[in-house]
Amino acid sequence: MSRSVRLVPALVALALTACGGGPDPSGAPGVGDPYFPKAGNGGYDVGHYALDIAYDPASRRLTGAARITARATQDLAAFHLDLFGLTVDSVTVQGEAARWSRDGQELTVHPPRALDKGGAFEVRVRYSGTPRTITDPDGSREGWLRTEDGALALGEPTGSMAWFPGNHHPSDKASYTVQVTVPEGLKAVSNGELTGERTARGATTFGWRAAEPMASYVATLAIGRYEIRRSTAGGVPVYTAVDPREENTDELAEVMAWARDAFGPYPFSSTGVIIARAGDSEYALETQNRPVFPGTPDTELLVHEIAHQWFGNSVTPASWKDMWLNEGFATYAEWLWREDHGGDSAQRTFEALYRSDDADLWAFPPAEPSGAGHISDRPVYERGAMVLHKIRQRVGDDAFGDLVRGWAAARRHGNASTADFTRYVERRAPDQDFGRIWADWLYGEGKPDRP
Ligand code: TRP
Ligand code: ZN
């Protein structure tokens, strides 16, 4: 090899660094999500969040301490966390006081000593204030929602930054322990399993642990006068919290059993539901282990949110562009449930939808939402489900069932993009041609010419 050729890589690296192509030594303020550019942060990967939170509904004041354990994926002179509103009281990195600055949702931390690529580090943030509600690009409300007797924290797509600092993008999943102190008489319900509950001096502290990887958008906190029921469903512990003015569902065990049949082993160590008061939120959310419902859910809504435990929570989208991998599967779960319980077949549901000329249904292809305000529009849900039905038509019922269970198993507790999914389908059914399905149904503009 000649001398000049050997010089080329070094020159290229130098040029890239000079032009800003190398990693930013102060981390990046986002992970590059095409729809939410500020969501998440570059340069590190969180392993665990330990949150200690006190909330008083009367004063609406929250006091929090977050201990975040992470690994640097590059050398870092500084790094970002996402935090919306609230006051930062102190920050330490590796136990030493750190400087910080804030700009909108970006909390930039300057550790006294730079962090080395590959090294583990611990950051602690103390914070306080009145958490705020976030209005999404589509007008829906998330983040911290006040209720008559407490609060409800919902985080899709960016709301969790309203109650704790973190790397708030679905691509960085982590385990959690959440300790919550509320006035005696109220309950505090979060993800995973209850590890402890004690009352002293008029306040009750609830300890929660979510051991399996969790995206921050499905972290939750429900504070209020909930009634608690515990049971088991097929050997999985059930913890259910129901607003006293609402009714519990009696269908969870049946839906769980059906879903395990359809999708394979349940990916988490506990299940349940949080049934808030109708109106506490405008929508249900598939919060991990136990989805939140504003009022008692009907069967298909329960099926939808339980299906998300496999599709969304265990297999999590790589970016918000891949939202149809969540909602298409959860919607198709409803079609499958209906078919299995004496209702319309999925084929009939598909045909009825195809006959529709509703402009909103065909507004954009499921894999390419037309903007951040459209990631929960009908094409993502219903056209997304239609893509899955097209695959089922192509491979047949048995192979489709294997494919769905295989996908959940292959990407269990991980992340996946649309390209990962199409590659998986092609690899599992190598004798089939999916080209037209991808081109017309997944990526194609407008209503495909044929059903
Ligand atoms: N994922 C929720 C569901 O399917 C719906 C939802 C609530 C949502 N809030 C959102 C979707 C914000 C996208 C963005 O039940
Ligand atoms: Zn959904």
PDB file of all heavy atoms in Angstrom, residues 28-31 38-46 49 68 70-71 80-83 106 160-161 164-174 176 214-217:
ATOM      1  N   ALA A  28     -25.179  15.237  22.360  1.00  0.00           N
ATOM      2  CA  ALA A  28     -26.091  15.837  21.394  1.00  0.00           C
ATOM      3  C   ALA A  28     -27.428  16.042  22.090  1.00  0.00           C
ATOM      4  O   ALA A  28     -27.820  15.259  22.951  1.00  0.00           O
ATOM      5  CB  ALA A  28     -26.248  14.922  20.185  1.00  0.00           C
ATOM      6  N   PRO A  29     -28.136  17.128  21.724  1.00  0.00           N
ATOM      7  CA  PRO A  29     -29.399  17.425  22.397  1.00  0.00           C
ATOM      8  C   PRO A  29     -30.562  16.544  21.954  1.00  0.00           C
ATOM      9  O   PRO A  29     -31.660  16.664  22.480  1.00  0.00           O
ATOM     10  CB  PRO A  29     -29.647  18.888  22.019  1.00  0.00           C
ATOM     11  CG  PRO A  29     -28.929  19.072  20.729  1.00  0.00           C
ATOM     12  CD  PRO A  29     -27.748  18.149  20.755  1.00  0.00           C
ATOM     13  N   GLY A  30     -30.324  15.646  20.989  1.00  0.00           N
ATOM     14  CA  GLY A  30     -31.386  14.725  20.561  1.00  0.00           C
ATOM     15  C   GLY A  30     -30.733  13.498  19.971  1.00  0.00           C
ATOM     16  O   GLY A  30     -29.528  13.503  19.698  1.00  0.00           O
ATOM     17  N   VAL A  31     -31.527  12.424  19.758  1.00  0.00           N
ATOM     18  CA  VAL A  31     -30.936  11.229  19.145  1.00  0.00           C
ATOM     19  C   VAL A  31     -31.164  11.205  17.641  1.00  0.00           C
ATOM     20  O   VAL A  31     -30.816  10.249  16.963  1.00  0.00           O
ATOM     21  CB  VAL A  31     -31.467   9.910  19.759  1.00  0.00           C
ATOM     22  CG1 VAL A  31     -31.075   9.808  21.218  1.00  0.00           C
ATOM     23  CG2 VAL A  31     -32.965   9.755  19.577  1.00  0.00           C
ATOM     24  N   LYS A  38     -35.653  16.881  19.465  1.00  0.00           N
ATOM     25  CA  LYS A  38     -35.013  17.137  20.765  1.00  0.00           C
ATOM     26  C   LYS A  38     -35.193  15.979  21.737  1.00  0.00           C
ATOM     27  O   LYS A  38     -34.668  16.002  22.854  1.00  0.00           O
ATOM     28  CB  LYS A  38     -35.601  18.401  21.386  1.00  0.00           C
ATOM     29  CG  LYS A  38     -35.136  19.675  20.700  1.00  0.00           C
ATOM     30  CD  LYS A  38     -35.529  20.879  21.537  1.00  0.00           C
ATOM     31  CE  LYS A  38     -35.971  22.030  20.663  1.00  0.00           C
ATOM     32  NZ  LYS A  38     -36.919  22.913  21.341  1.00  0.00           N
ATOM     33  N   ALA A  39     -35.967  14.971  21.346  1.00  0.00           N
ATOM     34  CA  ALA A  39     -36.235  13.854  22.266  1.00  0.00           C
ATOM     35  C   ALA A  39     -34.986  12.999  22.418  1.00  0.00           C
ATOM     36  O   ALA A  39     -34.314  12.675  21.447  1.00  0.00           O
ATOM     37  CB  ALA A  39     -37.399  13.013  21.747  1.00  0.00           C
ATOM     38  N   GLY A  40     -34.691  12.635  23.645  1.00  0.00           N
ATOM     39  CA  GLY A  40     -33.499  11.840  23.921  1.00  0.00           C
ATOM     40  C   GLY A  40     -32.254  12.686  23.749  1.00  0.00           C
ATOM     41  O   GLY A  40     -32.317  13.893  23.481  1.00  0.00           O
ATOM     42  N   ASN A  41     -31.116  12.059  23.921  1.00  0.00           N
ATOM     43  CA  ASN A  41     -29.839  12.774  23.893  1.00  0.00           C
ATOM     44  C   ASN A  41     -28.776  11.828  23.376  1.00  0.00           C
ATOM     45  O   ASN A  41     -28.904  10.621  23.490  1.00  0.00           O
ATOM     46  CB  ASN A  41     -29.487  13.229  25.311  1.00  0.00           C
ATOM     47  CG  ASN A  41     -30.617  14.057  25.920  1.00  0.00           C
ATOM     48  OD1 ASN A  41     -30.805  15.210  25.564  1.00  0.00           O
ATOM     49  ND2 ASN A  41     -31.396  13.440  26.787  1.00  0.00           N
ATOM     50  N   GLY A  42     -27.693  12.409  22.843  1.00  0.00           N
ATOM     51  CA  GLY A  42     -26.637  11.580  22.287  1.00  0.00           C
ATOM     52  C   GLY A  42     -25.523  11.317  23.279  1.00  0.00           C
ATOM     53  O   GLY A  42     -25.330  12.064  24.231  1.00  0.00           O
ATOM     54  N   GLY A  43     -24.789  10.228  23.066  1.00  0.00           N
ATOM     55  CA  GLY A  43     -23.521  10.026  23.757  1.00  0.00           C
ATOM     56  C   GLY A  43     -23.547   9.123  24.969  1.00  0.00           C
ATOM     57  O   GLY A  43     -22.499   8.869  25.559  1.00  0.00           O
ATOM     58  N   TYR A  44     -24.703   8.651  25.359  1.00  0.00           N
ATOM     59  CA  TYR A  44     -24.756   7.730  26.504  1.00  0.00           C
ATOM     60  C   TYR A  44     -26.006   6.860  26.416  1.00  0.00           C
ATOM     61  O   TYR A  44     -26.915   7.128  25.636  1.00  0.00           O
ATOM     62  CB  TYR A  44     -24.731   8.495  27.829  1.00  0.00           C
ATOM     63  CG  TYR A  44     -25.953   9.366  28.056  1.00  0.00           C
ATOM     64  CD1 TYR A  44     -27.050   8.896  28.781  1.00  0.00           C
ATOM     65  CD2 TYR A  44     -26.027  10.653  27.527  1.00  0.00           C
ATOM     66  CE1 TYR A  44     -28.177   9.688  28.976  1.00  0.00           C
ATOM     67  CE2 TYR A  44     -27.147  11.450  27.714  1.00  0.00           C
ATOM     68  CZ  TYR A  44     -28.220  10.965  28.450  1.00  0.00           C
ATOM     69  OH  TYR A  44     -29.332  11.739  28.625  1.00  0.00           O
ATOM     70  N   ASP A  45     -26.002   5.834  27.252  1.00  0.00           N
ATOM     71  CA  ASP A  45     -27.069   4.848  27.245  1.00  0.00           C
ATOM     72  C   ASP A  45     -27.437   4.565  28.698  1.00  0.00           C
ATOM     73  O   ASP A  45     -26.577   4.160  29.482  1.00  0.00           O
ATOM     74  CB  ASP A  45     -26.507   3.589  26.549  1.00  0.00           C
ATOM     75  CG  ASP A  45     -27.530   2.503  26.400  1.00  0.00           C
ATOM     76  OD1 ASP A  45     -28.711   2.759  26.683  1.00  0.00           O
ATOM     77  OD2 ASP A  45     -27.134   1.394  26.013  1.00  0.00           O
ATOM     78  N   VAL A  46     -28.678   4.845  29.068  1.00  0.00           N
ATOM     79  CA  VAL A  46     -29.081   4.660  30.468  1.00  0.00           C
ATOM     80  C   VAL A  46     -29.336   3.181  30.747  1.00  0.00           C
ATOM     81  O   VAL A  46     -29.965   2.481  29.944  1.00  0.00           O
ATOM     82  CB  VAL A  46     -30.348   5.481  30.786  1.00  0.00           C
ATOM     83  CG1 VAL A  46     -30.830   5.210  32.211  1.00  0.00           C
ATOM     84  CG2 VAL A  46     -30.093   6.971  30.583  1.00  0.00           C
ATOM     85  N   TYR A  49     -32.910   3.842  36.088  1.00  0.00           N
ATOM     86  CA  TYR A  49     -33.399   5.048  36.744  1.00  0.00           C
ATOM     87  C   TYR A  49     -33.869   4.674  38.144  1.00  0.00           C
ATOM     88  O   TYR A  49     -34.700   3.762  38.280  1.00  0.00           O
ATOM     89  CB  TYR A  49     -34.614   5.626  36.013  1.00  0.00           C
ATOM     90  CG  TYR A  49     -34.336   6.210  34.648  1.00  0.00           C
ATOM     91  CD1 TYR A  49     -34.452   5.423  33.504  1.00  0.00           C
ATOM     92  CD2 TYR A  49     -33.999   7.552  34.491  1.00  0.00           C
ATOM     93  CE1 TYR A  49     -34.217   5.958  32.241  1.00  0.00           C
ATOM     94  CE2 TYR A  49     -33.769   8.092  33.227  1.00  0.00           C
ATOM     95  CZ  TYR A  49     -33.878   7.292  32.121  1.00  0.00           C
ATOM     96  OH  TYR A  49     -33.653   7.815  30.862  1.00  0.00           O
ATOM     97  N   ILE A  68     -29.445   8.317  38.022  1.00  0.00           N
ATOM     98  CA  ILE A  68     -29.437   7.691  36.693  1.00  0.00           C
ATOM     99  C   ILE A  68     -28.084   7.028  36.487  1.00  0.00           C
ATOM    100  O   ILE A  68     -27.044   7.676  36.614  1.00  0.00           O
ATOM    101  CB  ILE A  68     -29.695   8.757  35.604  1.00  0.00           C
ATOM    102  CG1 ILE A  68     -31.047   9.438  35.845  1.00  0.00           C
ATOM    103  CG2 ILE A  68     -29.633   8.130  34.205  1.00  0.00           C
ATOM    104  CD1 ILE A  68     -31.271  10.682  35.003  1.00  0.00           C
ATOM    105  N   ALA A  70     -25.670   5.200  33.815  1.00  0.00           N
ATOM    106  CA  ALA A  70     -25.558   5.176  32.355  1.00  0.00           C
ATOM    107  C   ALA A  70     -24.154   4.778  31.939  1.00  0.00           C
ATOM    108  O   ALA A  70     -23.240   4.681  32.772  1.00  0.00           O
ATOM    109  CB  ALA A  70     -25.905   6.553  31.789  1.00  0.00           C
ATOM    110  N   ARG A  71     -23.987   4.541  30.645  1.00  0.00           N
ATOM    111  CA  ARG A  71     -22.676   4.240  30.077  1.00  0.00           C
ATOM    112  C   ARG A  71     -22.427   5.232  28.935  1.00  0.00           C
ATOM    113  O   ARG A  71     -23.304   5.454  28.088  1.00  0.00           O
ATOM    114  CB  ARG A  71     -22.664   2.789  29.561  1.00  0.00           C
ATOM    115  CG  ARG A  71     -21.292   2.313  29.083  1.00  0.00           C
ATOM    116  CD  ARG A  71     -21.297   0.802  28.832  1.00  0.00           C
ATOM    117  NE  ARG A  71     -21.508   0.017  30.048  1.00  0.00           N
ATOM    118  CZ  ARG A  71     -20.560  -0.247  30.964  1.00  0.00           C
ATOM    119  NH1 ARG A  71     -19.336   0.220  30.794  1.00  0.00           N
ATOM    120  NH2 ARG A  71     -20.838  -0.959  32.029  1.00  0.00           N
ATOM    121  N   HIS A  80     -26.495  15.902  27.787  1.00  0.00           N
ATOM    122  CA  HIS A  80     -27.824  16.464  27.988  1.00  0.00           C
ATOM    123  C   HIS A  80     -28.755  15.470  28.678  1.00  0.00           C
ATOM    124  O   HIS A  80     -28.611  14.262  28.509  1.00  0.00           O
ATOM    125  CB  HIS A  80     -28.463  16.803  26.638  1.00  0.00           C
ATOM    126  CG  HIS A  80     -27.821  17.956  25.926  1.00  0.00           C
ATOM    127  ND1 HIS A  80     -28.503  19.098  25.603  1.00  0.00           N
ATOM    128  CD2 HIS A  80     -26.558  18.135  25.471  1.00  0.00           C
ATOM    129  CE1 HIS A  80     -27.695  19.934  24.974  1.00  0.00           C
ATOM    130  NE2 HIS A  80     -26.501  19.367  24.869  1.00  0.00           N
ATOM    131  N   LEU A  81     -29.715  16.010  29.409  1.00  0.00           N
ATOM    132  CA  LEU A  81     -30.883  15.255  29.854  1.00  0.00           C
ATOM    133  C   LEU A  81     -32.096  16.041  29.381  1.00  0.00           C
ATOM    134  O   LEU A  81     -31.998  17.240  29.121  1.00  0.00           O
ATOM    135  CB  LEU A  81     -30.908  15.138  31.384  1.00  0.00           C
ATOM    136  CG  LEU A  81     -29.802  14.306  32.033  1.00  0.00           C
ATOM    137  CD1 LEU A  81     -29.726  14.591  33.525  1.00  0.00           C
ATOM    138  CD2 LEU A  81     -30.065  12.813  31.797  1.00  0.00           C
ATOM    139  N   ASP A  82     -33.247  15.379  29.267  1.00  0.00           N
ATOM    140  CA  ASP A  82     -34.485  16.099  28.950  1.00  0.00           C
ATOM    141  C   ASP A  82     -35.266  16.306  30.243  1.00  0.00           C
ATOM    142  O   ASP A  82     -35.498  15.347  30.986  1.00  0.00           O
ATOM    143  CB  ASP A  82     -35.350  15.278  27.979  1.00  0.00           C
ATOM    144  CG  ASP A  82     -34.659  15.030  26.651  1.00  0.00           C
ATOM    145  OD1 ASP A  82     -34.064  15.975  26.111  1.00  0.00           O
ATOM    146  OD2 ASP A  82     -34.724  13.889  26.156  1.00  0.00           O
ATOM    147  N   LEU A  83     -35.666  17.532  30.486  1.00  0.00           N
ATOM    148  CA  LEU A  83     -36.520  17.844  31.647  1.00  0.00           C
ATOM    149  C   LEU A  83     -37.368  19.056  31.278  1.00  0.00           C
ATOM    150  O   LEU A  83     -36.849  20.080  30.851  1.00  0.00           O
ATOM    151  CB  LEU A  83     -35.669  18.145  32.889  1.00  0.00           C
ATOM    152  CG  LEU A  83     -36.457  18.453  34.173  1.00  0.00           C
ATOM    153  CD1 LEU A  83     -37.223  17.219  34.665  1.00  0.00           C
ATOM    154  CD2 LEU A  83     -35.525  18.959  35.289  1.00  0.00           C
ATOM    155  N   GLU A 106     -33.891  21.008  27.334  1.00  0.00           N
ATOM    156  CA  GLU A 106     -32.526  20.470  27.442  1.00  0.00           C
ATOM    157  C   GLU A 106     -31.874  20.915  28.748  1.00  0.00           C
ATOM    158  O   GLU A 106     -31.706  22.110  29.004  1.00  0.00           O
ATOM    159  CB  GLU A 106     -31.681  20.929  26.252  1.00  0.00           C
ATOM    160  CG  GLU A 106     -32.200  20.475  24.894  1.00  0.00           C
ATOM    161  CD  GLU A 106     -32.295  18.954  24.766  1.00  0.00           C
ATOM    162  OE1 GLU A 106     -31.391  18.257  25.263  1.00  0.00           O
ATOM    163  OE2 GLU A 106     -33.285  18.471  24.179  1.00  0.00           O
ATOM    164  N   SER A 160     -42.880  12.125  29.673  1.00  0.00           N
ATOM    165  CA  SER A 160     -42.218  11.718  30.917  1.00  0.00           C
ATOM    166  C   SER A 160     -41.182  12.740  31.387  1.00  0.00           C
ATOM    167  O   SER A 160     -40.832  12.769  32.562  1.00  0.00           O
ATOM    168  CB  SER A 160     -41.607  10.324  30.767  1.00  0.00           C
ATOM    169  OG  SER A 160     -42.671   9.378  30.661  1.00  0.00           O
ATOM    170  N   MET A 161     -40.737  13.608  30.472  1.00  0.00           N
ATOM    171  CA  MET A 161     -39.795  14.657  30.899  1.00  0.00           C
ATOM    172  C   MET A 161     -40.487  15.685  31.804  1.00  0.00           C
ATOM    173  O   MET A 161     -39.815  16.531  32.385  1.00  0.00           O
ATOM    174  CB  MET A 161     -39.161  15.349  29.695  1.00  0.00           C
ATOM    175  CG  MET A 161     -40.123  16.107  28.822  1.00  0.00           C
ATOM    176  SD  MET A 161     -39.256  16.839  27.412  1.00  0.00           S
ATOM    177  CE  MET A 161     -40.655  17.448  26.442  1.00  0.00           C
ATOM    178  N   PHE A 164     -39.615  13.521  35.399  1.00  0.00           N
ATOM    179  CA  PHE A 164     -38.235  13.154  35.780  1.00  0.00           C
ATOM    180  C   PHE A 164     -37.273  13.426  34.629  1.00  0.00           C
ATOM    181  O   PHE A 164     -37.635  13.324  33.460  1.00  0.00           O
ATOM    182  CB  PHE A 164     -38.139  11.698  36.270  1.00  0.00           C
ATOM    183  CG  PHE A 164     -38.436  10.625  35.246  1.00  0.00           C
ATOM    184  CD1 PHE A 164     -37.386  10.017  34.540  1.00  0.00           C
ATOM    185  CD2 PHE A 164     -39.725  10.197  34.995  1.00  0.00           C
ATOM    186  CE1 PHE A 164     -37.643   9.001  33.621  1.00  0.00           C
ATOM    187  CE2 PHE A 164     -39.992   9.191  34.077  1.00  0.00           C
ATOM    188  CZ  PHE A 164     -38.952   8.587  33.388  1.00  0.00           C
ATOM    189  N   PRO A 165     -36.015  13.789  34.979  1.00  0.00           N
ATOM    190  CA  PRO A 165     -35.005  14.020  33.943  1.00  0.00           C
ATOM    191  C   PRO A 165     -34.538  12.687  33.383  1.00  0.00           C
ATOM    192  O   PRO A 165     -34.428  11.699  34.128  1.00  0.00           O
ATOM    193  CB  PRO A 165     -33.868  14.716  34.711  1.00  0.00           C
ATOM    194  CG  PRO A 165     -34.003  14.230  36.121  1.00  0.00           C
ATOM    195  CD  PRO A 165     -35.470  13.968  36.348  1.00  0.00           C
ATOM    196  N   GLY A 166     -34.249  12.651  32.082  1.00  0.00           N
ATOM    197  CA  GLY A 166     -33.804  11.371  31.527  1.00  0.00           C
ATOM    198  C   GLY A 166     -33.482  11.463  30.061  1.00  0.00           C
ATOM    199  O   GLY A 166     -33.471  12.546  29.464  1.00  0.00           O
ATOM    200  N   ASN A 167     -33.217  10.294  29.505  1.00  0.00           N
ATOM    201  CA  ASN A 167     -32.963  10.182  28.073  1.00  0.00           C
ATOM    202  C   ASN A 167     -34.290   9.765  27.439  1.00  0.00           C
ATOM    203  O   ASN A 167     -34.538   8.583  27.229  1.00  0.00           O
ATOM    204  CB  ASN A 167     -31.859   9.157  27.811  1.00  0.00           C
ATOM    205  CG  ASN A 167     -31.274   9.300  26.419  1.00  0.00           C
ATOM    206  OD1 ASN A 167     -31.354  10.368  25.808  1.00  0.00           O
ATOM    207  ND2 ASN A 167     -30.702   8.230  25.907  1.00  0.00           N
ATOM    208  N   HIS A 168     -35.142  10.770  27.188  1.00  0.00           N
ATOM    209  CA  HIS A 168     -36.530  10.477  26.863  1.00  0.00           C
ATOM    210  C   HIS A 168     -36.757  10.219  25.378  1.00  0.00           C
ATOM    211  O   HIS A 168     -37.352  11.035  24.670  1.00  0.00           O
ATOM    212  CB  HIS A 168     -37.429  11.592  27.396  1.00  0.00           C
ATOM    213  CG  HIS A 168     -37.506  11.607  28.891  1.00  0.00           C
ATOM    214  ND1 HIS A 168     -37.996  10.543  29.623  1.00  0.00           N
ATOM    215  CD2 HIS A 168     -37.132  12.533  29.812  1.00  0.00           C
ATOM    216  CE1 HIS A 168     -37.953  10.819  30.916  1.00  0.00           C
ATOM    217  NE2 HIS A 168     -37.417  12.020  31.062  1.00  0.00           N
ATOM    218  N   HIS A 169     -36.262   9.060  24.947  1.00  0.00           N
ATOM    219  CA  HIS A 169     -36.542   8.576  23.585  1.00  0.00           C
ATOM    220  C   HIS A 169     -36.699   7.065  23.662  1.00  0.00           C
ATOM    221  O   HIS A 169     -35.978   6.404  24.424  1.00  0.00           O
ATOM    222  CB  HIS A 169     -35.403   8.950  22.624  1.00  0.00           C
ATOM    223  CG  HIS A 169     -35.732   8.647  21.197  1.00  0.00           C
ATOM    224  ND1 HIS A 169     -35.364   7.465  20.594  1.00  0.00           N
ATOM    225  CD2 HIS A 169     -36.445   9.349  20.277  1.00  0.00           C
ATOM    226  CE1 HIS A 169     -35.826   7.471  19.336  1.00  0.00           C
ATOM    227  NE2 HIS A 169     -36.473   8.607  19.136  1.00  0.00           N
ATOM    228  N   PRO A 170     -37.633   6.494  22.869  1.00  0.00           N
ATOM    229  CA  PRO A 170     -37.884   5.045  22.989  1.00  0.00           C
ATOM    230  C   PRO A 170     -36.666   4.172  22.720  1.00  0.00           C
ATOM    231  O   PRO A 170     -36.639   3.007  23.144  1.00  0.00           O
ATOM    232  CB  PRO A 170     -38.999   4.781  21.960  1.00  0.00           C
ATOM    233  CG  PRO A 170     -39.157   6.033  21.176  1.00  0.00           C
ATOM    234  CD  PRO A 170     -38.579   7.149  21.967  1.00  0.00           C
ATOM    235  N   SER A 171     -35.652   4.712  22.046  1.00  0.00           N
ATOM    236  CA  SER A 171     -34.490   3.884  21.710  1.00  0.00           C
ATOM    237  C   SER A 171     -33.611   3.576  22.923  1.00  0.00           C
ATOM    238  O   SER A 171     -32.772   2.689  22.851  1.00  0.00           O
ATOM    239  CB  SER A 171     -33.651   4.576  20.631  1.00  0.00           C
ATOM    240  OG  SER A 171     -33.269   5.872  21.070  1.00  0.00           O
ATOM    241  N   ASP A 172     -33.791   4.296  24.016  1.00  0.00           N
ATOM    242  CA  ASP A 172     -32.968   4.027  25.212  1.00  0.00           C
ATOM    243  C   ASP A 172     -33.838   3.478  26.337  1.00  0.00           C
ATOM    244  O   ASP A 172     -34.357   4.231  27.155  1.00  0.00           O
ATOM    245  CB  ASP A 172     -32.216   5.289  25.647  1.00  0.00           C
ATOM    246  CG  ASP A 172     -31.169   4.989  26.722  1.00  0.00           C
ATOM    247  OD1 ASP A 172     -31.016   3.802  27.102  1.00  0.00           O
ATOM    248  OD2 ASP A 172     -30.510   5.936  27.181  1.00  0.00           O
ATOM    249  N   LYS A 173     -33.969   2.154  26.389  1.00  0.00           N
ATOM    250  CA  LYS A 173     -34.781   1.528  27.432  1.00  0.00           C
ATOM    251  C   LYS A 173     -33.906   1.231  28.648  1.00  0.00           C
ATOM    252  O   LYS A 173     -32.694   1.058  28.539  1.00  0.00           O
ATOM    253  CB  LYS A 173     -35.411   0.245  26.889  1.00  0.00           C
ATOM    254  CG  LYS A 173     -36.249   0.542  25.615  1.00  0.00           C
ATOM    255  CD  LYS A 173     -37.382  -0.424  25.418  1.00  0.00           C
ATOM    256  CE  LYS A 173     -36.977  -1.776  24.947  1.00  0.00           C
ATOM    257  NZ  LYS A 173     -38.180  -2.601  24.609  1.00  0.00           N
ATOM    258  N   ALA A 174     -34.534   1.158  29.805  1.00  0.00           N
ATOM    259  CA  ALA A 174     -33.794   0.959  31.053  1.00  0.00           C
ATOM    260  C   ALA A 174     -34.708   0.305  32.080  1.00  0.00           C
ATOM    261  O   ALA A 174     -35.927   0.265  31.899  1.00  0.00           O
ATOM    262  CB  ALA A 174     -33.297   2.308  31.581  1.00  0.00           C
ATOM    263  N   TYR A 176     -36.173   0.376  36.079  1.00  0.00           N
ATOM    264  CA  TYR A 176     -36.583   1.489  36.948  1.00  0.00           C
ATOM    265  C   TYR A 176     -36.875   1.005  38.368  1.00  0.00           C
ATOM    266  O   TYR A 176     -37.445  -0.075  38.541  1.00  0.00           O
ATOM    267  CB  TYR A 176     -37.914   2.115  36.445  1.00  0.00           C
ATOM    268  CG  TYR A 176     -37.802   2.982  35.226  1.00  0.00           C
ATOM    269  CD1 TYR A 176     -37.496   2.423  33.991  1.00  0.00           C
ATOM    270  CD2 TYR A 176     -38.031   4.355  35.292  1.00  0.00           C
ATOM    271  CE1 TYR A 176     -37.404   3.222  32.850  1.00  0.00           C
ATOM    272  CE2 TYR A 176     -37.946   5.151  34.157  1.00  0.00           C
ATOM    273  CZ  TYR A 176     -37.627   4.590  32.949  1.00  0.00           C
ATOM    274  OH  TYR A 176     -37.536   5.370  31.822  1.00  0.00           O
ATOM    275  N   MET A 214     -37.587  -0.751  29.952  1.00  0.00           N
ATOM    276  CA  MET A 214     -38.806   0.032  29.726  1.00  0.00           C
ATOM    277  C   MET A 214     -38.441   1.342  29.036  1.00  0.00           C
ATOM    278  O   MET A 214     -37.496   2.028  29.435  1.00  0.00           O
ATOM    279  CB  MET A 214     -39.489   0.312  31.067  1.00  0.00           C
ATOM    280  CG  MET A 214     -40.747   1.143  30.969  1.00  0.00           C
ATOM    281  SD  MET A 214     -41.760   1.027  32.461  1.00  0.00           S
ATOM    282  CE  MET A 214     -40.945   2.216  33.515  1.00  0.00           C
ATOM    283  N   ALA A 215     -39.202   1.680  28.009  1.00  0.00           N
ATOM    284  CA  ALA A 215     -39.062   2.994  27.370  1.00  0.00           C
ATOM    285  C   ALA A 215     -39.732   4.021  28.277  1.00  0.00           C
ATOM    286  O   ALA A 215     -40.785   3.740  28.855  1.00  0.00           O
ATOM    287  CB  ALA A 215     -39.720   2.984  25.995  1.00  0.00           C
ATOM    288  N   SER A 216     -39.148   5.212  28.367  1.00  0.00           N
ATOM    289  CA  SER A 216     -39.687   6.159  29.353  1.00  0.00           C
ATOM    290  C   SER A 216     -41.106   6.601  29.004  1.00  0.00           C
ATOM    291  O   SER A 216     -41.855   7.002  29.878  1.00  0.00           O
ATOM    292  CB  SER A 216     -38.751   7.351  29.526  1.00  0.00           C
ATOM    293  OG  SER A 216     -38.841   8.244  28.448  1.00  0.00           O
ATOM    294  N   TYR A 217     -41.508   6.500  27.729  1.00  0.00           N
ATOM    295  CA  TYR A 217     -42.857   6.971  27.385  1.00  0.00           C
ATOM    296  C   TYR A 217     -43.958   6.064  27.932  1.00  0.00           C
ATOM    297  O   TYR A 217     -45.121   6.457  27.955  1.00  0.00           O
ATOM    298  CB  TYR A 217     -43.020   7.186  25.875  1.00  0.00           C
ATOM    299  CG  TYR A 217     -43.241   5.952  25.026  1.00  0.00           C
ATOM    300  CD1 TYR A 217     -44.524   5.502  24.730  1.00  0.00           C
ATOM    301  CD2 TYR A 217     -42.170   5.244  24.484  1.00  0.00           C
ATOM    302  CE1 TYR A 217     -44.735   4.387  23.931  1.00  0.00           C
ATOM    303  CE2 TYR A 217     -42.357   4.140  23.688  1.00  0.00           C
ATOM    304  CZ  TYR A 217     -43.641   3.711  23.420  1.00  0.00           C
ATOM    305  OH  TYR A 217     -43.840   2.603  22.628  1.00  0.00           O
TER     306      TYR A 217
END
